[in-house]
Amino acid sequence: MEQTWRWFGPNDEATLGHARQAGATGIVTALHDIPYGETWSVEAIRERQRVIEADAAMGLRWSVVESVPVHEDIKLGRGDLDRLYENFRQTLTHLGACGVRTVCYNFMLILDWTRTDLAVKLPGGARALKLNMNELAAFDCHILKRPGAERDYTPDVLQRAAEWFDHAGEEGKARLWANVMAGLPGAFKRYDVAELRDVLAEQSELTHDQLRANLVQFLKEILPAAEKAGVVLCIHPDDPPRNLAGLCRIVKNAGDIAFILDAVPSEANGLTLCTGSLGANPENDVPAIARRFAGRVKFAHLRNVKKDPDGSFMESDHLGGDVDMVAVVETLLDEQQRRRLAGEPTSTIPFRPDHGHDLIDDGTRQTHPGYPVVGRLRGLAEIRGVMTALAHQKGYAL
């Protein structure tokens, strides 16, 4: 399994040197400066590769794209779709020509990953990401004031949400807004309350079946170009895996994944196995999902969560949450060995330690939420230990 590290580009305070010190050799990145829907040129891709590979002694390569963003109009099935599809196809063609062949993407409507607290204090001073259901309900019902929002929460959560809102003060409400907004994709648009309310009202009209149909249409338009370019697309599960603020989610569980992979059969139609996203749904047996779809896993995000009965969850130590990480890693190693014995050309499965706690001096760097240096280094080291022990036990080469 290839050990990789997410890097947000030259301005990321978690540097390429940090990635190499952590033990990674593959870099997971994207051209975040290019607006959604525009084509990534060969020149821009090669320039990013040049930066990653500048110090040959580090032995780094651009292993995975995360992500080529899917324009909101594609998800909504509107606008100049022919142009957007063609630009996406051209981007995949250019990536393939440059030797970057794994592309992670998601199909979540406007709210991407969502947390309500980005700095939960842990014993010893570490900090973690968390989604508190009462705070999400306060955001939805009392800040956004979305019509009908109360139907999505239990009476207990609604009561605690009202209490939180009454005592939070303007500073607490502003912090909650900023925490939720931190999960918005891209850097080109941030919303005030009225703007987000309008966007959510419009997008909430899209039904589950309509959003599914728009994803299937996207795949039908894009996958032939991916196949020709030698690129695989791997969809990322919804985070969290539940309908959110009136928006439907369509990559929440094993049934959703099966539908997507079966809807447009292609070796280029794959899965990013995110143990944290899937693990936030108490109905998901993540090791079983890993086993069921092992042959379609093209990339893995390995992180862990601890869930509360009301639907809240906190990101935990990589080996210390509700997901049996050892079982997941074993499945990925078995699948990688199967591919090697079958002579498949892309047998190695890249993975990265997804998210991590802020540890030791992580607070001194302005890194993206969930992407500290020391916290991810610890996670990668723990997973590497599990991987090495299992491979030794089974007689597999890493």
Side-chain angles (χ1 to χ4, degrees), residues 29 34-35 42 70 89 169 192 218 241 289 318 320 339 355 358 362:
T29 192
I34 298 179
V42 169
V70 179
R89 285 190 288 260
D192 61 25
F218 166 74
I289 290 174
H318 285 75
R339 295 178 190 182
H355 297 184
D358 287 351
D362 278 329

Side-chain angles (χ1 to χ4, degrees), residues 303-304 316-321 323 325-326 329 379 381-383 385-386:
R303 63 177 172 87
N304 221 324
S316 66
D317 295 339
H318 285 75
L319 303 183
V323 176
M325 192 65 69
V326 175
V329 172
E382 291 178 342
I383 295 167
V386 169

